[in-house]
Amino acid sequence: MLGQIVAAQFDLEAVVAELSRTGGNPGDAQNQLQFLSSLQRTVGTANPVALAQMRSEIAATVSAAQAVAAQGRTAASPDDKTADLAETTANTRRTIGDISEKLFERKVLDPYLTFASPEDEAEFRRREAERQEYVRRELAKGTPEGALNASNAAVAQLEDARDHGADRSPDFDTLLSSATVARDQQRAAITNAGVSTSTNNQEATNTPQPTSSANSSTELDDVAATLLAAGVSLPTMNSAPLNAHGLSDVASLGPATTSRTV
Protein backbone atom coordinates (compact mmCIF):
# COMPACT_ATOMS: atom_id res chain seq x y z
CA MET A 1 0.00 0.00 0.00
CA LEU A 2 2.83 2.35 0.77
CA GLY A 3 4.25 1.61 -2.67
CA GLN A 4 1.01 2.74 -4.33
CA ILE A 5 0.96 5.95 -2.30
CA VAL A 6 4.61 6.71 -3.09
CA ALA A 7 4.08 6.06 -6.81
CA ALA A 8 1.10 8.46 -6.81
CA GLN A 9 3.23 11.04 -5.01
CA PHE A 10 5.93 10.74 -7.66
CA ASP A 11 3.32 11.34 -10.37
CA LEU A 12 1.96 14.42 -8.67
CA GLU A 13 5.39 15.86 -7.95
CA ALA A 14 6.31 15.51 -11.62
CA VAL A 15 3.03 17.19 -12.63
CA VAL A 16 3.57 20.06 -10.20
CA ALA A 17 7.06 20.64 -11.60
CA GLU A 18 5.81 20.52 -15.20
CA LEU A 19 2.87 22.85 -14.55
CA SER A 20 5.18 25.30 -12.80
CA ARG A 21 7.56 25.16 -15.76
CA THR A 22 4.86 25.74 -18.36
CA GLY A 23 3.00 28.41 -16.40
CA GLY A 24 0.04 26.22 -15.43
CA ASN A 25 -1.79 26.12 -12.10
CA PRO A 26 -0.41 23.34 -9.88
CA GLY A 27 -2.89 24.03 -7.05
CA ASP A 28 -4.98 20.87 -7.37
CA ALA A 29 -1.93 18.65 -7.64
CA GLN A 30 -0.32 20.30 -4.61
CA ASN A 31 -3.50 19.82 -2.56
CA GLN A 32 -3.65 16.17 -3.55
CA LEU A 33 0.01 15.78 -2.57
CA GLN A 34 -0.83 17.03 0.91
CA PHE A 35 -3.64 14.46 1.21
CA LEU A 36 -1.25 11.69 0.17
CA SER A 37 1.46 12.81 2.61
CA SER A 38 -1.05 12.79 5.46
CA LEU A 39 -2.31 9.36 4.44
CA GLN A 40 1.25 8.03 4.18
CA ARG A 41 1.98 9.10 7.76
CA THR A 42 -1.19 7.42 8.96
CA VAL A 43 -0.41 4.18 7.13
CA GLY A 44 3.15 4.20 8.44
CA THR A 45 1.96 4.11 12.06
CA ALA A 46 -1.18 1.96 11.68
CA ASN A 47 -1.44 -1.59 13.01
CA PRO A 48 -2.44 -4.50 10.73
CA VAL A 49 -6.12 -4.32 11.71
CA ALA A 50 -6.30 -0.61 10.98
CA LEU A 51 -4.49 -1.11 7.68
CA ALA A 52 -7.03 -3.68 6.57
CA GLN A 53 -9.83 -1.24 7.33
CA MET A 54 -8.07 1.53 5.42
CA ARG A 55 -7.70 -0.36 2.12
CA SER A 56 -10.72 1.22 0.48
CA GLU A 57 -9.71 4.72 1.64
CA ILE A 58 -6.19 4.25 0.32
CA ALA A 59 -7.44 2.95 -3.04
CA ALA A 60 -9.86 5.89 -3.39
CA THR A 61 -7.19 8.45 -2.49
CA VAL A 62 -4.66 6.94 -4.89
CA SER A 63 -7.25 6.88 -7.70
CA ALA A 64 -8.12 10.51 -7.07
CA ALA A 65 -4.44 11.43 -7.12
CA GLN A 66 -3.95 9.60 -10.42
CA ALA A 67 -6.90 11.45 -11.95
CA VAL A 68 -5.55 14.82 -10.82
CA ALA A 69 -2.12 13.89 -12.17
CA ALA A 70 -3.59 12.91 -15.54
CA GLN A 71 -5.46 16.21 -15.77
CA GLY A 72 -2.34 18.12 -14.84
CA ARG A 73 -0.27 16.35 -17.48
CA THR A 74 -2.86 17.15 -20.13
CA ALA A 75 -2.84 20.81 -19.13
CA ALA A 76 0.95 20.96 -19.16
CA SER A 77 1.51 19.09 -22.44
CA PRO A 78 1.97 21.27 -25.54
CA ASP A 79 1.08 18.56 -28.09
CA ASP A 80 -0.46 15.12 -28.48
CA LYS A 81 2.84 13.24 -28.59
CA THR A 82 4.03 14.87 -25.40
CA ALA A 83 0.68 14.19 -23.76
CA ASP A 84 0.89 10.54 -24.80
CA LEU A 85 4.42 10.27 -23.41
CA ALA A 86 3.34 11.83 -20.13
CA GLU A 87 0.39 9.45 -19.80
CA THR A 88 2.48 6.41 -20.72
CA THR A 89 5.18 7.47 -18.28
CA ALA A 90 2.62 7.76 -15.49
CA ASN A 91 1.27 4.29 -16.31
CA THR A 92 4.78 2.83 -16.42
CA ARG A 93 5.68 4.35 -13.08
CA ARG A 94 2.51 3.02 -11.46
CA THR A 95 3.08 -0.45 -12.90
CA ILE A 96 6.73 -0.62 -11.93
CA GLY A 97 5.99 0.85 -8.52
CA ASP A 98 3.48 -1.92 -7.88
CA ILE A 99 5.82 -4.62 -9.20
CA SER A 100 8.67 -3.19 -7.13
CA GLU A 101 6.57 -3.41 -3.98
CA LYS A 102 5.76 -7.06 -4.67
CA LEU A 103 9.35 -7.98 -5.53
CA PHE A 104 11.34 -6.03 -2.99
CA GLU A 105 9.00 -5.38 -0.08
CA ARG A 106 6.49 -8.21 -0.05
CA LYS A 107 8.96 -10.63 -1.70
CA VAL A 108 6.16 -12.69 -3.26
CA LEU A 109 8.63 -14.82 -5.24
CA ASP A 110 10.93 -15.71 -2.36
CA PRO A 111 9.17 -18.99 -1.40
CA TYR A 112 9.98 -20.36 -4.86
CA LEU A 113 13.64 -19.34 -5.09
CA THR A 114 16.38 -21.95 -4.97
CA PHE A 115 20.14 -21.44 -4.84
CA ALA A 116 23.11 -23.65 -5.57
CA SER A 117 25.02 -22.42 -2.52
CA PRO A 118 25.02 -19.74 0.18
CA GLU A 119 27.40 -17.76 -2.03
CA ASP A 120 24.94 -18.00 -4.93
CA GLU A 121 22.17 -16.61 -2.74
CA ALA A 122 24.41 -13.85 -1.40
CA GLU A 123 25.19 -12.71 -4.95
CA PHE A 124 21.51 -12.77 -5.85
CA ARG A 125 20.63 -10.68 -2.79
CA ARG A 126 23.36 -8.21 -3.68
CA ARG A 127 21.94 -7.75 -7.17
CA GLU A 128 18.44 -7.54 -5.76
CA ALA A 129 19.40 -4.76 -3.33
CA GLU A 130 21.20 -2.81 -6.05
CA ARG A 131 18.20 -3.04 -8.37
CA GLN A 132 15.79 -2.06 -5.62
CA GLU A 133 17.74 1.11 -4.94
CA TYR A 134 18.14 1.75 -8.68
CA VAL A 135 14.40 1.42 -9.32
CA ARG A 136 13.60 3.72 -6.40
CA ARG A 137 16.09 6.33 -7.60
CA GLU A 138 14.95 6.23 -11.24
CA LEU A 139 11.24 6.45 -10.37
CA ALA A 140 11.98 9.40 -8.09
CA LYS A 141 13.25 11.36 -11.10
CA GLY A 142 9.72 11.55 -12.48
CA THR A 143 11.06 11.55 -16.05
CA PRO A 144 10.30 9.35 -19.07
CA GLU A 145 13.87 8.06 -19.11
CA GLY A 146 13.74 7.32 -15.39
CA ALA A 147 10.58 5.26 -15.93
CA LEU A 148 12.26 3.34 -18.76
CA ASN A 149 15.36 2.67 -16.68
CA ALA A 150 13.25 1.47 -13.74
CA SER A 151 11.23 -0.86 -15.98
CA ASN A 152 14.45 -2.27 -17.45
CA ALA A 153 15.71 -3.01 -13.95
CA ALA A 154 12.41 -4.64 -12.93
CA VAL A 155 12.54 -6.94 -15.95
CA ALA A 156 16.18 -7.80 -15.16
CA GLN A 157 15.28 -8.68 -11.57
CA LEU A 158 12.41 -10.91 -12.71
CA GLU A 159 14.60 -12.70 -15.22
CA ASP A 160 17.26 -13.15 -12.53
CA ALA A 161 14.64 -14.61 -10.19
CA ARG A 162 13.40 -16.90 -12.97
CA ASP A 163 16.88 -18.36 -13.24
CA HIS A 164 16.53 -19.32 -9.58
CA GLY A 165 13.13 -21.02 -9.86
CA ALA A 166 10.72 -18.08 -9.48
CA ASP A 167 8.79 -19.12 -12.59
CA ARG A 168 7.16 -21.81 -10.45
CA SER A 169 5.21 -19.06 -8.71
CA PRO A 170 1.64 -18.47 -9.98
CA ASP A 171 2.39 -14.73 -9.86
CA PHE A 172 5.51 -14.85 -11.98
CA ASP A 173 4.07 -14.79 -15.52
CA THR A 174 1.81 -11.84 -14.71
CA LEU A 175 4.64 -9.88 -13.13
CA LEU A 176 7.04 -10.47 -16.01
CA SER A 177 4.40 -9.74 -18.64
CA SER A 178 3.35 -6.50 -16.92
CA ALA A 179 6.94 -5.31 -16.54
CA THR A 180 7.84 -6.20 -20.13
CA VAL A 181 4.77 -4.52 -21.60
CA ALA A 182 5.37 -1.40 -19.51
CA ARG A 183 9.00 -1.27 -20.65
CA ASP A 184 8.15 -1.72 -24.34
CA GLN A 185 5.33 0.85 -24.25
CA GLN A 186 7.56 3.34 -22.46
CA ARG A 187 10.33 2.90 -25.00
CA ALA A 188 7.86 3.29 -27.88
CA ALA A 189 6.34 6.45 -26.38
CA ILE A 190 9.78 7.99 -25.90
CA THR A 191 10.72 7.20 -29.49
CA ASN A 192 7.41 8.53 -30.83
CA ALA A 193 7.82 11.79 -28.95
CA GLY A 194 11.34 12.21 -30.35
CA VAL A 195 12.95 12.30 -26.92
CA SER A 196 16.62 11.31 -26.87
CA THR A 197 17.81 9.20 -23.95
CA SER A 198 21.25 8.23 -22.74
CA THR A 199 22.30 4.58 -22.73
CA ASN A 200 21.15 3.19 -19.40
CA ASN A 201 20.13 -0.46 -19.49
CA GLN A 202 18.76 -2.68 -16.77
CA GLU A 203 22.20 -3.85 -15.71
CA ALA A 204 23.66 -0.35 -15.50
CA THR A 205 23.92 -0.56 -11.72
CA ASN A 206 26.15 -3.63 -11.68
CA THR A 207 27.57 -4.22 -15.16
CA PRO A 208 30.02 -1.59 -16.42
CA GLN A 209 29.71 -0.64 -20.04
CA PRO A 210 32.59 -2.22 -22.01
CA THR A 211 35.16 -0.01 -23.65
CA SER A 212 34.92 -0.19 -27.43
CA SER A 213 37.55 -2.38 -29.07
CA ALA A 214 38.47 0.43 -31.44
CA ASN A 215 39.39 2.71 -28.56
CA SER A 216 41.31 -0.06 -26.78
CA SER A 217 43.25 -0.87 -29.94
CA THR A 218 44.19 2.73 -30.55
CA GLU A 219 45.31 3.25 -26.98
CA LEU A 220 47.39 0.07 -26.95
CA ASP A 221 49.03 0.96 -30.26
CA ASP A 222 50.03 4.31 -28.75
CA VAL A 223 51.50 2.55 -25.70
CA ALA A 224 53.45 0.12 -27.90
CA ALA A 225 54.83 2.94 -30.06
CA THR A 226 55.98 4.81 -26.95
CA LEU A 227 57.74 1.74 -25.56
CA LEU A 228 59.49 1.01 -28.85
CA ALA A 229 60.63 4.61 -29.15
CA ALA A 230 62.17 4.28 -25.68
CA GLY A 231 64.17 1.22 -26.76
CA VAL A 232 61.92 -1.41 -25.20
CA SER A 233 61.49 -4.49 -27.39
CA LEU A 234 58.23 -6.38 -27.08
CA PRO A 235 57.89 -10.14 -27.76
CA THR A 236 56.48 -11.16 -31.12
CA MET A 237 52.99 -12.70 -30.99
CA ASN A 238 52.62 -14.69 -34.20
CA SER A 239 49.25 -16.12 -33.33
CA ALA A 240 47.61 -12.80 -32.61
CA PRO A 241 48.38 -9.11 -33.14
CA LEU A 242 49.38 -7.07 -30.14
CA ASN A 243 46.01 -5.37 -29.91
CA ALA A 244 43.84 -8.34 -30.84
CA HIS A 245 42.30 -8.85 -27.40
CA GLY A 246 42.34 -5.45 -25.77
CA LEU A 247 44.40 -4.13 -22.88
CA SER A 248 44.22 -7.41 -20.96
CA ASP A 249 46.91 -8.85 -23.28
CA VAL A 250 49.54 -6.56 -21.85
CA ALA A 251 49.74 -8.70 -18.72
CA SER A 252 50.15 -11.89 -20.75
CA LEU A 253 53.11 -10.73 -22.82
CA GLY A 254 55.66 -11.46 -20.12
CA PRO A 255 58.47 -9.13 -19.04
CA ALA A 256 59.80 -6.75 -21.65
CA THR A 257 63.51 -6.46 -22.39
CA THR A 258 65.32 -3.19 -22.73
CA SER A 259 67.98 -2.65 -25.40
CA ARG A 260 70.53 0.04 -24.74
CA THR A 261 73.18 1.37 -27.09
CA VAL A 262 76.46 2.25 -25.44
Side-chain angles (χ1 to χ4, degrees):
M1 289 186 286
L2 279 175
Q4 295 175 349
I5 295 174
V6 170
Q9 286 176 315
F10 286 159
D11 284 344
L12 286 170
E13 289 169 356
V15 167
V16 168
E18 184 64 14
L19 285 170
S20 299
R21 186 183 68 81
T22 59
N25 181 8
D28 290 342
Q30 289 174 329
N31 291 336
Q32 198 66 40
L33 264 175
Q34 293 178 351
F35 291 145
L36 285 175
S37 297
S38 177
L39 181 60
Q40 185 182 31
R41 288 192 295 270
T42 301
V43 169
T45 58
N47 58 47
V49 175
L51 283 176
Q53 296 172 343
M54 292 172 62
R55 285 187 179 276
S56 59
E57 178 186 354
I58 292 172
T61 303
V62 170
S63 295
Q66 291 170 348
V68 170
Q71 293 172 358
R73 284 191 296 273
T74 300
S77 299
D79 54 51
D80 291 341
K81 288 183 178 180
T82 305
D84 178 67
L85 176 58
E87 182 177 358
T88 301
T89 297
N91 291 336
T92 299
R93 296 177 76 246
R94 281 194 296 271
T95 298
I96 300 305
D98 181 60
I99 291 173
S100 177
E101 180 185 18
K102 292 175 180 176
L103 283 179
F104 302 124
E105 296 177 27
R106 292 167 53 190
K107 296 186 178 296
V108 298
L109 299 180
D110 270 29
Y112 303 91
L113 297 177
T114 58
F115 301 97
S117 65
E119 292 76 15
D120 184 29
E121 180 174 7
E123 280 299 302
F124 176 85
R125 296 304 179 188
R126 178 188 61 77
R127 295 191 298 271
E128 179 183 52
E130 288 180 352
R131 289 181 182 127
Q132 180 179 10
E133 173 59 20
Y134 183 69
V135 169
R136 183 202 64 77
R137 190 170 65 247
E138 291 301 307
L139 288 179
K141 292 179 179 179
T143 63
E145 183 178 4
L148 178 60
N149 292 338
S151 63
N152 275 330
V155 171
Q157 179 60 27
L158 284 163
E159 291 176 342
D160 199 352
R162 179 181 59 196
D163 293 340
H164 290 84
D167 52 349
R168 294 178 296 148
S169 167
D171 296 320
F172 181 81
D173 288 343
T174 298
L175 289 172
L176 181 59
S177 175
S178 297
T180 302
V181 169
R183 178 198 62 188
D184 293 346
Q185 289 180 343
Q186 184 67 23
R187 183 183 295 120
I190 288 175
T191 301
N192 188 49
V195 177
S196 61
T197 60
S198 61
T199 301
N200 203 348
N201 294 323
Q202 66 266 30
E203 298 292 348
T205 57
N206 50 30
T207 303
Q209 294 295 321
T211 303
S212 67
S213 59
N215 289 341
S216 297
S217 299
T218 300
E219 292 172 0
L220 193 55
D221 287 341
D222 291 342
V223 171
T226 301
L227 291 174
L228 291 172
V232 178
S233 61
L234 299 178
T236 302
M237 303 293 288
N238 294 327
S239 60
L242 180 62
N243 59 7
H245 301 290
L247 292 175
S248 61
D249 281 338
V250 172
S252 67
L253 294 179
T257 59
T258 303
S259 300
R260 296 181 181 275
T261 302
V262 179

